[in-house]
Amino acid sequence: MTALDETPTKAGRRAWLGLAVLALPTFIVAIDLFVLLLALPNLASDLHAGANQQLWITDIYGFVLAGFLVTMGTLGDRIGRRKLLIIGSLAFGIGSVACAYAPNPETLIVARAVLGIAGATLMPSTMALIATLFPNPKQMATAFGIWAATFTLGAIFGPVIGGVMLAHFWWGSVFLLGVPIMLVLVVVGPKLLPEFKNPAAGKIDPTSVVLSLLALLPTIYGIKELAKEGIELVPAASLVIGIGFGVAFVRRQNRIESPLLDMSLLRNRTIGGSIVGMLCYTSFGGGLLMLMLLYFQLVGGLSSVQAGAALVPGMVTGAIGFQVMPKLAARFRPSYVMAGGMIAAAMAFVTMTQIDADSGNWPLIIAFAASSLVGVAMPGLGANLIVGSAPPEQAGSAGSLAQMANEFGSTLGLAIYGTIGAAVYRAVVELPPGLPAGTAAEAGDSISGAAASTAGLSPEAAGALMAPAREAFVSGLNTVASIGIVVLVAAAAFVGIRMRHVPPFGQAEAAPAES
């Protein structure tokens, strides 16, 4: 029997205070992701970090976090979710201080890796504790909506707070923002958060931990590098190696008595359907976000700060959507709400198939805002269903799967949709004649390369170079939007049919969740 089969009593004031505590690390993690990008130029200058070191500084957090999610989700189920959250919060605070005072790039990279390990403890533990605090399905859906909106608010305020800090203090100050908040969680958390662990859990299998890391880290690295550099031997080999270890990991989980990840969770119709839907939605969102930022800056003429501000309306509507969708899912079947949200988002993206280089920024801003309002039904309700459908003793593992769908989906989207956009650009761009060979090669590879190639050119020559580059880039964006629409509609059909057995939140389930 799953949590969705029950109609427990409602949680009280203490639970909502506990949710406020759980929102703290989520808010800080969101801010941390964005302030680093703002601080990167300053820290690169002060620490004399090269281009490759800068990439590792920005990427190592996500690599390590994704690699440890499965392990930490299961570890929380075994040793206690509150205990793991407290330990992770302490580690995050220590890692933040180490980042702030890093004397060289190597130390900063190691400190960011520590933050990644700590971050992997936070999200699965938080999701599982929300399920423990709010056993009532309606309240759980509302709580997950508030929790998800907290991340969006962190993304909104992160650049603003980071900009103020960088204007008055040194680059390391942005990493200290989370330290006092993590200390509050460490002090208050034990008083407001319940402890829960699986009393029948076996020991952690070290071989499975190693296999999970060997599967996830090379896979994510390969996908990211293929998206950046195209088809090359090392990232392609890394991807193949990661997939091979992934197969070995799955086989081992099916054989051993106490698996790191119970594969029956993935065979659950509600959990499996939610993961597929979230992967489809977040992958398109990840790829589209990168292309929109490039459009705002290199086609729409905005600065990097203005481009970030152009995303704020979409983040605000997304935060609103996270509050509205649980209420709809209490009246209608969640599968229909999620499917309807993806179809409505696909309709908003139709605008992106029609824009050209002279359309300006507002059509894209409005389309993103409209799609965010309705599209968040899939990740918001999906995370709730994944955790709520798992047995209580496996909620941490389920939370790691939900977070993995978001992390892996965004990474996959950057690779797939970014590659498609780049391929269209290269296929259709028509550069002006007479360009030096090196300039033509760089400008013909990407719109970023074209923009870089304008250095030293006269305004007339730069304009003649960028005009076809902008048109080719927008053609790629049109193509990506068209493909994404098809993917979202197909995912909506899958979710609507596969998960139609799930009743509105708070009602008894009409059909078994197992396939």
Side-chain angles (χ1 to χ4, degrees):
M1 180 178 291
T2 69
L4 290 175
D5 296 312
E6 305 169 356
T7 54
T9 57
K10 290 186 175 182
R13 177 172 172 268
R14 184 183 180 88
W16 294 106
L17 290 174
L19 177 63
V21 172
L22 292 175
L24 295 177
T26 306
F27 185 74
I28 288 303
V29 167
I31 287 180
D32 182 79
L33 291 173
F34 286 88
V35 296
L36 174 64
L37 298 178
L38 288 175
L40 190 61
N42 291 347
L43 71 85
S45 176
D46 288 354
L47 299 181
H48 306 290
N52 192 48
Q53 290 172 322
Q54 292 179 48
L55 286 175
W56 276 107
I57 290 169
T58 56
D59 289 345
I60 191 65
Y61 174 85
F63 285 154
V64 174
L65 183 147
F68 277 92
L69 272 175
V70 172
T71 299
M72 293 304 180
T74 304
L75 183 62
D77 290 337
R78 283 166 163 77
I79 71 170
R81 294 153 191 170
R82 186 182 67 189
K83 180 187 292 185
L84 185 63
L85 180 66
I86 299 302
I87 293 172
S89 299
L90 278 172
F92 200 94
I94 293 170
S96 297
V97 173
C99 287
Y101 294 99
N104 52 59
E106 292 78 14
T107 303
L108 183 55
I109 291 170
V110 172
R112 291 283 295 168
V114 171
L115 286 184
I117 297 173
T121 71
L122 300 178
M123 294 304 103
S125 297
T126 297
M127 290 184 185
L129 285 169
I130 289 174
T132 303
L133 284 168
F134 300 96
N136 182 278
K138 287 185 179 180
Q139 286 189 319
M140 187 191 297
T142 300
F144 269 105
I146 294 172
W147 172 76
T150 302
F151 186 90
T152 304
L153 291 174
I156 294 172
F157 289 110
V160 177
I161 297 173
V164 172
M165 297 290 287
L166 290 171
H168 295 86
F169 306 101
W170 91 111
W171 60 264
S173 64
V174 299
F175 292 106
L176 298 178
L177 289 169
V179 175
I181 291 182
M182 290 302 181
L183 288 176
V184 169
L185 190 151
V186 170
V187 173
V188 178
K191 296 179 174 62
L192 292 176
L193 300 176
E195 183 58 286
F196 188 100
K197 62 182 177 180
N198 181 5
K203 294 182 179 180
I204 291 284
D205 177 41
T207 302
S208 294
V209 173
V210 173
L211 285 175
S212 70
L213 293 174
L214 292 175
L216 291 169
L217 294 178
T219 298
I220 294 172
Y221 171 80
I223 290 173
K224 281 183 172 288
E225 291 303 306
L226 288 172
K228 292 177 184 176
E229 308 296 339
I231 303 298
E232 291 191 356
L233 178 60
V234 173
S238 177
L239 181 59
V240 172
I241 291 171
I243 292 173
F245 278 112
V247 172
F249 173 79
V250 171
R251 287 181 175 177
R252 183 168 181 82
Q253 304 318 293
N254 287 324
R255 290 199 317 265
I256 61 178
E257 184 177 349
S258 298
L260 185 68
L261 177 63
D262 188 346
M263 302 308 293
S264 66
L265 290 175
L266 296 175
R267 292 190 289 270
N268 180 292
R269 286 174 61 192
T270 303
I271 294 174
S274 296
I275 289 174
V276 171
M278 290 172 69
L279 281 171
C280 291
Y281 182 82
T282 57
S283 62
F284 181 47
L288 188 64
L289 191 64
M290 176 190 68
L291 294 175
M292 284 196 302
L293 286 171
L294 287 173
Y295 178 95
F296 288 143
Q297 295 175 79
L298 300 179
V299 179
L302 301 182
S303 67
S304 58
V305 175
Q306 290 172 328
L311 298 178
V312 169
M315 294 177 181
V316 172
T317 58
I320 294 172
F322 278 125
Q323 308 310 307
V324 172
M325 295 306 164
K327 294 178 173 59
L328 291 177
R331 299 187 60 185
F332 307 100
R333 291 184 179 272
S335 61
Y336 299 161
V337 178
M338 292 185 292
M342 284 193 284
I343 291 174
M347 293 173 62
F349 289 136
V350 170
T351 302
M352 298 185 185
T353 69
Q354 304 301 311
I355 64 172
D356 57 37
D358 299 318
S359 295
N361 296 309
W362 279 108
L364 210 59
I365 294 173
I366 294 171
F368 178 59
S371 65
S372 295
L373 176 65
V374 291
V376 295
M378 186 64 248
L381 299 181
N384 175 34
L385 289 171
I386 289 172
V387 178
S389 298
E393 65 273 11
Q394 293 180 309
S397 295
S400 70
L401 290 176
Q403 186 65 13
M404 182 62 69
N406 285 326
E407 293 285 338
F408 194 70
S410 297
T411 301
L412 196 63
L414 287 172
I416 294 176
Y417 291 106
T419 299
I420 292 172
V424 173
Y425 175 92
R426 293 167 188 150
V428 304
V429 66
E430 296 181 0
L431 300 175
L435 292 174
T439 300
E442 188 176 11
D445 183 65
S446 68
I447 189 171
S448 299
S453 299
T454 60
L457 297 180
S458 66
E460 295 78 11
L465 176 60
M466 287 303 297
R470 292 189 180 100
E471 293 175 0
F473 175 81
V474 172
S475 294
L477 178 60
N478 297 153
T479 302
V480 166
S482 299
I483 295 172
I485 288 170
V486 174
V487 171
L488 288 183
V489 172
F494 174 83
V495 168
I497 296 171
R498 177 74 173 171
M499 299 172 60
R500 64 184 183 276
H501 63 280
V502 181
F505 292 138
Q507 298 183 20
E509 189 167 336
E514 299 296 331
S515 58

